[in-house]
């Protein structure tokens, strides 16, 4: 198990799920779609006790896992060409300078917090936490660490309900990983590297 391992492990590996594996009748969102829903709403959350027109200004998706095309539509929905206002997305680059180590990681998180606060003040309604464009100098912040840190920062600032969090991460490889991200604050997850790897295998299959 991860806690006893001497090898580098993903943060996801330090968490285990406890759930009922088998139910009767089966709860399956694919085979039992009439009674089981994975529909997710993304966006600002208004007062549940005082619903109004603003409460409806959310994006509804049928499944919390997004492919790259679906994510691109959400990011571009507020563009000048679309004519749709009130759905602005701000992209956060979850990268830090690897050579500077842990202090740089902590400093980068603080900088991200400030960037998000400013984006919310300017009208952002979706925050995309992305680890794309990493290289030998810029390492990705583990997506679970980044998501949970941003979630709790927004809770402390009392601005958590003003934005929806979307995660675009290459370290998401299993259902367990996506479930943890959703449990720690993400409304939707785009495991882009998983999709791209599957597409590459399909194209090059002998």
């Amino acid at each position: 198990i991860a806690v006893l391992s001497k090898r580098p492990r993903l943060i996801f590996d330090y968490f285990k799920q406890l759930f009922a594996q088998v139910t009767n009748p089966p709860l399956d969102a694919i085979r039992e779609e009439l009674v089981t829903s994975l529909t997710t709403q993304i966006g600002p959350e208004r007062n549940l006790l005082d619903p109004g027109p603003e409460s409806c200004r959310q994006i509804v998706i049928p499944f919390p896992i997004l492919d790259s095309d679906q994510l691109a539509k959400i990011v571009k929905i507020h563009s000048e060409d679309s004519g749709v206002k009130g759905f602005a997305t701000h992209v956060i680059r979850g990268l830090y300078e690897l050579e500077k180590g842990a202090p740089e990681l902590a400093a980068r998180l603080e900088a991200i917090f400030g960037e998000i606060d400013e984006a919310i003040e300017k009208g952002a309604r979706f925050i995309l936490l992305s680890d794309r464009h990493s290289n030998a100098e810029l390492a990705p912040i583990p997506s679970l660490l980044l998501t949970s840190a941003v979630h709790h920062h927004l809770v402390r600032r009392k601005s958590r309900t003003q934005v929806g969090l979307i995660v675009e991460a290459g370290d998401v490889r299993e259902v367990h990983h996506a479930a943890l991200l959703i449990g720690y604050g993400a409304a939707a997850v785009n495991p882009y590297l998983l999709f791209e790897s599957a597409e590459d295998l399909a194209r090059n299959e002998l």
Side-chain angles (χ1 to χ4, degrees):
I1 60 176
V3 71
L4 299 178
S5 176
K6 295 182 179 179
R7 298 176 179 272
R9 301 292 292 268
L10 294 174
I11 294 180
F12 298 113
D13 296 339
Y14 293 88
F15 296 81
K16 296 295 180 182
Q17 297 183 74
L18 284 177
F19 61 95
Q21 181 96 24
V22 179
T23 60
N24 190 13
L27 294 178
D28 187 320
I30 298 175
R31 292 180 295 176
E32 305 288 336
E33 61 179 343
L34 292 179
V35 294
T36 306
S37 174
L38 291 176
T39 300
T40 301
Q41 294 82 33
I42 308 175
E45 299 176 24
R46 302 299 178 180
N47 187 350
L48 294 175
L49 302 178
D50 185 23
E54 289 298 319
S55 302
C56 301
R57 297 191 65 79
Q58 294 184 319
I59 294 176
V60 179
I61 57 176
F63 199 67
I65 305 300
L66 301 172
D67 62 31
S68 296
D69 290 337
Q70 292 170 323
L71 179 61
K73 291 177 182 178
I74 293 175
V75 172
K76 298 295 184 182
I77 194 172
H78 187 82
S79 66
E80 294 182 1
D81 296 334
S82 71
V84 180
K85 304 302 179 183
F87 292 93
T89 299
H90 183 79
V91 180
I92 294 292
R93 295 300 175 192
L95 308 172
Y96 72 102
E97 294 184 43
L98 183 60
E99 287 188 359
K100 296 182 180 180
E104 170 63 16
L105 173 57
R108 178 62 184 139
L109 286 174
E110 290 295 331
I112 286 173
F113 297 159
E115 184 179 344
I116 290 175
D117 291 340
E118 183 178 351
I120 292 174
E121 290 179 3
K122 291 182 178 179
R125 293 297 173 258
F126 306 100
I127 300 296
L128 174 60
L129 305 176
S130 175
D131 67 5
R132 280 188 182 269
H133 309 301
S134 61
N135 52 40
E137 290 78 32
L138 295 175
I141 299 173
S143 60
L144 187 59
L145 172 62
L146 179 59
T147 303
S148 59
V150 168
H151 170 78
H152 285 288
H153 168 73
L154 294 175
V155 170
R156 290 191 297 268
R157 295 278 295 179
K158 298 182 179 180
S159 57
R160 181 61 186 90
T161 58
Q162 296 182 29
V163 291
L165 294 181
I166 306 172
V167 178
E168 181 185 37
D171 60 354
V172 180
R173 305 170 188 170
E174 304 173 7
V175 173
H176 173 62
H177 300 170
L180 278 170
L181 286 169
I182 293 169
Y184 274 80
V189 179
N190 170 234
Y192 67 89
L193 188 57
L194 179 66
F195 285 131
E196 291 174 7
S197 298
E199 291 172 0
D200 184 67
L201 287 172
R203 283 195 299 268
N204 297 303
E205 184 178 3
L206 298 178

